[in-house]
Amino acid sequence: MADFTQTKNYGTAAYPVHCNQASGVFTRAEPLLSPELLVSRFLKGIPLKFRNGDHFTPDELRDQIFLAQNEAEILLGLTLTRESFKQKVPFDHALYKAYIHVRSEMGPILSIEHLAIVSADGNSIFEIPPTWIETANFSKRLINVVPLLAAYGVNQVSGAVGNAGIAFLTVMDGLGWVPAYWQINYTAGLSMKEGQLPVPVNELVGVIAAINILSMIAATYIYTSQSQSQDGISQSSSGPGPRLYLVRIEELNKKRDEIIRKMKAKFSTRYFIDNI
């Protein structure tokens, strides 16, 4: 099992990346978006009313925010809220020679609790000492191991197989690739504080929710013109029909794409990188 007393982190904020101490001049992170804030920031002045007269209730707006948060997580390829993960990655000889070079599936990494060689039956064969784990690139989901000479004297081989782990380690130079070799237990997310998100990410969530809400409302306005007649008196009117709010939706789409592009660049998730 992971030894959570040896949790290791870089000691800086998840956002802004590597921020050691914020000036406090303006807010960097804020609570999760509320229905009231969603309307105030992105839907102010827009009647949230369908053609049949129905309105969005606060609970329905909250549900749209919930859906937008999950969509934002997929689009960014990042973990929005602080979560704990357990993952196994293969042994690659080239990456092992490059200071092990393990990349997590989820990120950015906030802390690491356990990095070890774990067998298929769940036995921990060899645990990497926390003092060897380099945390500087956690924002890029990258874990490296830099052995310290002073640590050799206190190195421990733990697990049910005991010192057999030493023999297991000696054969690595002769192996090219082994599936599910390393096991990492880590915590990932965009904020160290529970229930908070970076302001740009909260903005992305609001933009996605606003697009979905406006699209749902516009879809009910299926007619571009209508007329009525009574006792020889007629009246006609025309409107944008399903193109209602089209300009606003296009503006929000551009903002969504720009935020995604910049946030992916910030956390190095724009491109998939692997070793061949």
Side-chain angles (χ1 to χ4, degrees), residues 37-38 41 62 73 143 175 182 194 211 220 247 259:
L37 201 56
L38 171 64
R41 287 183 176 178
R62 194 172 290 108
E73 192 169 73
I143 303 167
L175 299 175
W182 305 103
E194 298 292 343
I211 291 172
T220 64
V247 174
I259 294 174

Side-chain angles (χ1 to χ4, degrees), residues 6 13 17 45 49 77 87 196 221:
Q6 301 190 72
V17 175
K49 183 176 67 174
Q87 173 190 345
Q196 291 204 345
Y221 288 81

Side-chain angles (χ1 to χ4, degrees), residues 45-191:
I46 298 176
L48 303 180
K49 183 176 67 174
F50 295 92
R51 190 172 184 275
N52 62 3
D54 287 344
H55 289 75
F56 271 101
T57 66
D59 285 341
E60 289 173 334
L61 292 176
R62 194 172 290 108
D63 183 59
Q64 288 299 319
I65 293 171
F66 164 74
L67 294 174
Q69 288 169 344
N70 283 270
E71 184 176 344
E73 192 169 73
I74 293 173
L75 292 173
L76 290 173
L78 301 171
T79 308
L80 299 192
T81 58
R82 188 173 181 174
E83 309 282 357
S84 178
F85 297 92
K86 180 170 72 173
Q87 173 190 345
K88 296 194 76 173
V89 296
F91 167 82
D92 186 302
H93 188 267
L95 295 181
Y96 172 71
K97 289 296 185 181
Y99 296 94
I100 293 185
H101 202 87
V102 173
R103 188 176 297 274
S104 66
E105 292 177 347
M106 309 304 295
I109 300 172
L110 298 178
S111 64
I112 185 167
E113 286 74 48
H114 187 64
L115 172 58
I117 302 169
V118 178
S119 60
D121 60 356
N123 285 322
S124 181
I125 295 172
F126 182 80
E127 181 175 353
I128 301 295
T131 51
W132 292 7
I133 300 175
E134 177 54 63
T135 60
N137 294 309
F138 274 8
S139 64
K140 300 179 177 65
R141 312 195 323 275
L142 181 60
I143 303 167
N144 287 112
V145 175
V146 183
L148 303 175
L149 293 178
Y152 279 108
V154 294
N155 184 20
Q156 296 178 352
V157 178
S158 59
V161 295
N163 291 331
I166 295 296
F168 199 86
L169 288 172
T170 60
V171 303
M172 288 195 298
D173 278 341
L175 299 175
W177 190 85
V178 181
Y181 188 82
W182 305 103
Q183 179 173 297
I184 50 175
N185 292 22
Y186 62 99
T187 301
L190 280 169
S191 177

Side-chain angles (χ1 to χ4, degrees), residues 6-23:
Q6 301 190 72
T7 294
K8 188 172 183 182
N9 58 62
Y10 191 51
T12 59
Y15 181 87
V17 175
H18 292 164
C19 178
N20 191 38
Q21 185 174 359
S23 64

